[in-house]
Amino acid sequence: MGKHNYRKADKPTMYFIGVTTGKSSIMKVFPEWARYLKLHDYVIKGIDFRLHDEPKAYREAVAFIREDPLSLGALVTTHKIDLFKACRDMFDKLGPYARIMEEVSSISKRNGKLQGQAKDPISSGLALEDFLPDNYWKETGAEILLMGAGGAAIALTSYLAGEERGSNKPSGIYVSNRSRKGLAGMKNIHQRLQVDIPVEYILAPVPEENDRVVNKLKPYSLVINATGLGKDTPGSPITDAAVFPKNGIAWDFNYRGDLVFIKQAYNRQKERNLKIEDGWVYFIHGWTRVISEVCNIHIPVKGPVFAELSKIAAKFR
């Protein structure tokens, strides 16, 4: 769907705003989910923008969704921060995370009012809890390295720092990024959130800088690829020489692409006793949270309905 070719929806339509939306599994999964959830006639359409597109391009898309009756809303990926900056004034209501993090991942409508929300703190937290044992941080004293300082990384750190975590929090957080601007933005948000976990912000323009941090992590620590490397662009934020923490966890937020980071972790799995996770469960939680909002229906985060949605999605993996 081109930027300047918006056509009035003739069915209830949810949009997917991204970079290469046609390659995402959601294009095949959504129709099956819609059938199961009894969202009859509901369809999904992709809107692709280039990275850091012109503000007017984002405003045009948001204006179309706002004005078109059967355009229900959208899930936003990659462009969450840029879209927020360009369109902040166009929303009637912004959720608390959207305001603090200055990003929008969910666009929806209620009673004619346009809403913008940041759902990643919820979906990334749900995805993490899916594979992390109870009281993991408290019992292991593990740290986290987040490579990438974008919206997904900010979301996860805001979840981990939440008061409801109590004392079950990482002993330290390292955040690395290729640009100072991204690190400064994240630091600013952490200050507003009053994050009480020690955080070190590391400029890492080359993968060797990330290797240095990976190599010094405590046992059981979590190493996360929160960059687009391995999905939107080829490669990995570390080199093959990086030594993962003993008994650690490697988590790639991506689930499609060449997934070089995941391959590097598998090469070290036996030697370092690693647990390895890709972004598939994150993908399911991310989409079901936004579909729930956009389509105004309740979708459980666990139990038989969630299990069935996961099973349906797995067919298209």
Side-chain angles (χ1 to χ4, degrees):
M1 183 174 185
K3 271 183 271 185
H4 307 290
N5 188 29
Y6 296 111
R7 292 193 187 142
K8 199 174 163 79
D10 56 2
K11 291 177 179 176
T13 303
M14 177 173 176
Y15 297 91
F16 174 18
I17 297 173
V19 180
T20 53
T21 57
K23 292 181 182 177
S24 175
S25 298
I26 198 63
M27 294 313 202
K28 292 172 182 167
V29 172
F30 185 90
E32 298 292 323
W33 277 357
R35 206 165 318 175
Y36 175 71
L37 294 167
K38 296 183 168 54
L39 295 172
H40 305 297
D41 295 330
Y42 281 56
V43 296
I44 189 166
K45 287 186 180 175
I47 302 175
D48 286 348
F49 292 124
R50 58 184 171 82
L51 292 169
H52 309 301
D53 214 322
E54 298 293 323
K56 66 178 182 181
Y58 298 122
R59 291 183 70 84
E60 190 180 26
V62 171
F64 168 74
I65 291 168
R66 184 183 62 190
E67 304 303 328
D68 187 49
L70 286 174
S71 292
L72 306 178
L75 179 140
V76 185
T77 185
T78 309
H79 308 282
K80 292 175 280 199
I81 294 168
D82 291 319
L83 186 140
F84 177 91
K85 285 177 181 169
C87 308
R88 181 176 194 157
D89 62 304
M90 300 177 75
F91 291 95
D92 299 300
K93 183 184 175 186
L94 287 166
Y97 277 128
R99 289 196 303 273
I100 291 168
M101 295 165 62
E102 299 191 328
E103 67 167 55
V104 164
S105 61
S106 169
I107 300 170
S108 58
K109 293 192 262 192
R110 286 293 180 280
N111 305 316
K113 303 282 188 190
L114 192 70
Q115 301 189 142
Q117 296 186 56
K119 290 287 188 182
D120 273 2
I122 298 158
S123 47
S124 63
L126 288 166
L128 179 65
E129 300 306 334
D130 188 76
F131 64 78
L132 213 62
D134 293 342
N135 292 315
Y136 185 78
W137 308 111
K138 204 171 178 179
E139 289 174 10
T140 62
E143 302 165 308
I144 288 186
L145 166 59
L146 272 151
M147 294 176 288
I154 294 167
L156 185 64
T157 54
S158 66
Y159 169 81
L160 288 164
E163 284 180 17
E164 61 276 16
R165 305 273 83 69
S167 58
N168 183 37
K169 293 177 182 178
S171 60
I173 297 173
Y174 298 95
V175 181
S176 70
N177 200 54
R178 288 188 290 190
S179 75
R180 290 187 194 278
K181 190 180 173 187
L183 292 171
M186 192 182 214
K187 190 173 185 178
N188 185 278
I189 291 165
H190 283 168
Q191 285 168 345
R192 276 186 274 158
L193 286 166
Q194 298 182 316
V195 170
D196 62 352
I197 304 167
V199 184
E200 193 176 323
Y201 305 91
I202 299 155
L203 185 66
V206 292
E208 287 78 8
E209 296 291 339
N210 285 321
D211 287 1
R212 276 196 265 279
V213 188
V214 173
N215 295 352
K216 69 175 185 179
L217 291 171
K218 293 177 183 174
Y220 295 95
S221 290
L222 174 58
V223 183
I224 301 174
N225 177 21
T227 73
L229 288 170
K231 186 188 84 166
D232 297 329
T233 50
S236 167
I238 59 172
T239 75
D240 292 344
V243 182
F244 285 88
K246 192 79 175 163
N247 303 317
I249 305 170
W251 186 16
D252 196 328
F253 280 175
N254 304 316
Y255 76 91
R256 64 183 172 92
D258 59 14
L259 301 178
V260 177
F261 174 77
I262 288 278
K263 289 169 189 166
Q264 290 168 321
Y266 275 117
N267 287 339
R268 296 274 191 168
Q269 186 175 30
K270 196 172 179 183
E271 168 203 340
R272 306 302 290 168
N273 192 32
L274 293 178
K275 186 177 176 66
I276 300 169
E277 297 288 334
D278 67 11
W280 184 250
V281 174
Y282 191 0
F283 164 82
I284 292 172
H285 279 299
W287 272 101
T288 52
R289 288 311 88 219
V290 178
I291 290 169
S292 173
E293 190 66 41
V294 171
C295 301
N296 198 14
I297 57 165
H298 172 66
I299 301 176
V301 298
K302 55 186 176 183
V305 172
F306 185 80
E308 187 57 33
L309 291 171
S310 301
K311 190 176 164 189
I312 289 166
K315 289 189 293 185
F316 301 98
R317 190 162 182 187

